[in-house]
Amino acid sequence: MSRVIVTGSAGRLGRSVVTVLRDCGHEVIGVDREADPGDPASRGADLTDARAASWLFSEVRPEAVIHLAAIAVPFSAPEDVILRTNTALAFAVMQAAVDAGARTVITASSPTVFGYGSPAGWTPRRLPLDESMEPEPWNAYALSKLVAERTARMFAAQLGNQVRFASFRPCYVIAPEEWHGALTQQGHTVLERLDRPELAAPALFNYVDARDAGMFLHVLMSGIRDIPNGETFLVGAADALARRPLAELIPDYLPQLTGVAADLTGSRPAFSIAKAQRLLGWHPTRSWRSELGVDAEPVLTRGAE
Ligand SMILES: NC(=O)c1ccc[n+]([C@@H]2O[C@H](COP(=O)([O-])OP(=O)(O)OC[C@H]3O[C@@H](n4cnc5c(N)ncnc54)[C@H](O)[C@@H]3O)[C@@H](O)[C@H]2O)c1
């Protein structure tokens, strides 16, 4: 097991990643803007400050770094601020990790790199989407995530296999408390996203439980020396966040994608996780069905009872 720095440890995803990695036996040092008073191992730093990042990392001397810190919501700040902040964070954290002697560096990207929701129109060649498909970012957030992926690959090209890099694209993250009614990232409950397909449609009904993403990171750290350097993985649930098959929902909510959605029958999601399964043997263990109960009724139906 490793000494691991997790950046963005106070965030929706970071909190579960810290918990899961500790449960797996890792020594985890969480880093966020402010240290967590309830966690003596946590540290506070503004990681856009390359010198502060470098100083902190060289003191901790982690074997692995998982970089989650970012402005995590598209259009939640001016476009130039999002691009500048997220790319500066990615570069400063990866450089500090390498300088401190880390042998594994993993960075959070996003499925938004695919380009869905583009106002100019977007039609992929096929669904489900997979990592071999060309990214087409249309906003600063998605572009910043693509730059983070390429930054990881740049360091891999520079350093060879002595340091292993990887990126992952987590789908819409559901934190544990959000299964019980806490608001998700876009301000709705999970049940609202199920009952109102127009809410989940823009992100093609994607989601992942934060603990499953945490376990993915444990599995990736364990296997990273056995896969090519600089790989990118989609990390999602095995089903779609939808009560009806996407082959039926997409014609109603994303009609321009009707032609490529025909194979999304049953509970099949629009994002393939086959690569993580194939290269790492990872598979998610949670779904909205397991967390809410398969009989989770639509809100309106329950209200009428
Ligand atoms: N939540 C999702 O659905 C989702 C989906 C795809 C990708 N991601 C990516 O996963 C990562 C984590 O997302 P999240 O939902 O937990 O976001 P979040 O906003 O909940 O957490 C991000 C954390 O990063 C910290 N941070 C931001 N700037 C910092 C800085 N300069 N120095 C130190 N810490 C800083 C914030 O304080 C925050 O605690 C992000 O990189 C995000 O882009 C998230």
Side-chain angles (χ1 to χ4, degrees), residues 90-114:
F91 193 88
V93 166
M94 287 189 231
Q95 184 71 67
V98 167
D99 292 346
R103 288 283 178 265
T104 297
V105 182
I106 299 167
T107 193
S109 177
S110 163
T112 58
V113 299
F114 284 117

Side-chain angles (χ1 to χ4, degrees), residues 35-141:
D36 175 357
D39 178 1
S42 76
R43 306 288 292 268
D46 178 353
L47 295 169
T48 56
D49 179 344
R51 288 179 62 180
S54 185
W55 184 84
L56 195 160
F57 283 34
S58 64
E59 198 188 60
V60 173
R61 298 204 69 74
E63 289 150 90
V65 172
I66 294 175
H67 174 50
L68 309 177
I71 298 175
V73 182
F75 303 111
S76 60
E79 288 287 83
D80 60 322
V81 174
I82 292 180
L83 184 63
R84 202 165 51 241
T85 303
N86 287 354
T87 54
L89 277 167
F91 193 88
V93 166
M94 287 189 231
Q95 184 71 67
V98 167
D99 292 346
R103 288 283 178 265
T104 297
V105 182
I106 299 167
T107 193
S109 177
S110 163
T112 58
V113 299
F114 284 117
Y116 47 79
S118 165
W122 173 82
T123 309
R125 279 181 291 118
R126 61 177 182 273
L127 290 175
L129 300 166
D130 66 57
E131 299 87 342
S132 70
M133 296 166 76
E134 185 68 24
E136 297 177 68
W138 67 270
N139 57 56
Y141 172 76

Side-chain angles (χ1 to χ4, degrees), residues 279-291:
L279 289 189
L280 299 165
W282 173 81
H283 200 265
T285 61
R286 294 177 173 87
S287 74
W288 66 266
R289 292 174 171 85
S290 71
E291 299 310 300

Side-chain angles (χ1 to χ4, degrees), residues 8-37:
S9 53
R12 166 175 274 103
L13 177 56
R15 294 190 300 274
S16 285
V17 169
V18 169
T19 301
V20 169
L21 295 186
R22 284 188 178 149
D23 288 349
C24 291
H26 299 283
E27 179 191 350
V28 180
I29 297 91
V31 182
D32 210 293
R33 289 182 189 281
E34 308 282 342
D36 175 357

